[in-house]
Amino acid sequence: MFLSVNPAERELEIKRSRFIASAYTIASRDDVKRIIAELWKAHGEARHICYGFIADETGDDFGYDDDGEPNGTAGKPIYSAISAAGARRTLIAVVRYFGGIKLGAGGLTRAYRQSAAELIEHAGLVRTERYGVYDIECDGDVYKKLAAVLRGNGCETERIMYGARVGITVLAPLAENDFYGLLAPLGIVPSKTGERLIALKDGNDND
């Protein structure tokens, strides 16, 4: 379990330039390129889209991009705000619409840092957990026992299909007990189909 910034957007205007900051929860750095491409589609008239991110849960996998702003004035201040907040698996991108007044290197650094910091303060941090996604099939008489095991171990049932056998898609916390071992006494072998990041319902760390 780790802290990430709640997905949100916040706009700041400084000397007629608009700074639109957006936060995203990311599973890996592969998500960054896709999200930035989507932002460019939505903000084709923007001058810059700068960003910083931490893509893992330890803080070791990180990066930033100034996107043509003077070196060190944009991406790194955004990343620093994420790191200072203790957030992980978080991307913050700041879209800049140039207002015609140059801010200078110091002004730009303050603007991008402020954009990211105000977004984090506004959105708050949320406790987030990695879940495995599993497909399961079982006989109807086993299903009641299975449902009790899932409820007792923090799992969520996403889909149920009733037929000759019951088909279920389950989300199980990866940090908990071995999911395969948990279901072995029931004679069930789940099939893992992926992973998902889920914000815990009571997890806003600003409350």
Side-chain angles (χ1 to χ4, degrees):
M1 189 163 57
F2 56 94
L3 293 176
S4 60
V5 179
N6 258 320
E9 180 179 293
R10 190 169 179 83
E11 182 171 336
L12 178 69
E13 184 172 326
I14 299 176
K15 294 184 179 180
R16 298 207 297 261
S17 279
R18 295 169 59 205
F19 295 85
I20 305 170
S22 302
Y24 306 86
T25 302
I26 56 174
S28 72
R29 62 170 51 226
D30 292 339
D31 291 337
V32 175
K33 184 177 180 179
R34 171 184 57 79
I35 292 169
I36 298 303
E38 290 172 355
L39 281 171
W40 273 117
K41 288 180 182 178
H43 297 277
E45 300 301 315
R47 177 68 66 89
H48 305 280
I49 299 182
C50 307
Y51 61 85
F53 67 86
I54 297 177
D56 61 2
E57 295 166 29
T58 63
D60 296 323
D61 187 6
F62 63 89
Y64 42 82
D65 193 322
D66 295 317
D67 189 39
E69 295 280 34
N71 186 42
T73 64
K76 192 170 184 179
I78 296 169
Y79 156 73
S80 295
I82 298 170
S83 180
R88 298 292 184 263
R89 294 195 183 273
T90 293
L91 161 70
I92 291 182
V94 180
V95 177
R96 183 189 180 194
Y97 285 88
F98 182 54
I101 300 175
K102 293 185 178 181
L103 302 182
L108 283 171
T109 301
R110 288 189 295 273
Y112 281 104
R113 183 188 297 118
Q114 182 180 350
S115 294
E118 286 192 4
L119 173 64
I120 293 170
E121 182 178 3
H122 167 73
L125 300 177
V126 63
R127 288 188 290 275
T128 304
E129 190 159 352
R130 285 193 306 132
Y131 280 68
V133 184
Y134 301 88
D135 284 339
I136 296 171
E137 281 193 359
C138 65
D139 294 330
D141 58 349
V142 176
Y143 173 67
K144 289 184 179 181
K145 296 178 181 178
L146 171 63
V149 170
L150 296 177
R151 284 194 302 270
N153 287 275
C155 302
E156 297 183 14
T157 301
E158 188 172 61
R159 177 190 66 92
I160 303 177
M161 294 184 65
Y162 296 97
R165 289 167 61 82
V166 181
I168 315 160
T169 299
V170 173
L171 305 178
L174 290 176
E176 299 298 328
N177 296 329
D178 172 38
F179 192 60
Y180 294 93
L182 195 67
L183 302 188
L186 300 177
I188 295 173
V189 180
S191 174
K192 187 177 180 183
T193 60
E195 294 186 8
R196 196 175 302 171
L197 297 176
I198 297 179
L200 304 186
K201 293 181 177 64
D202 61 346
N204 194 310
D205 208 52
N206 279 10
D207 292 345

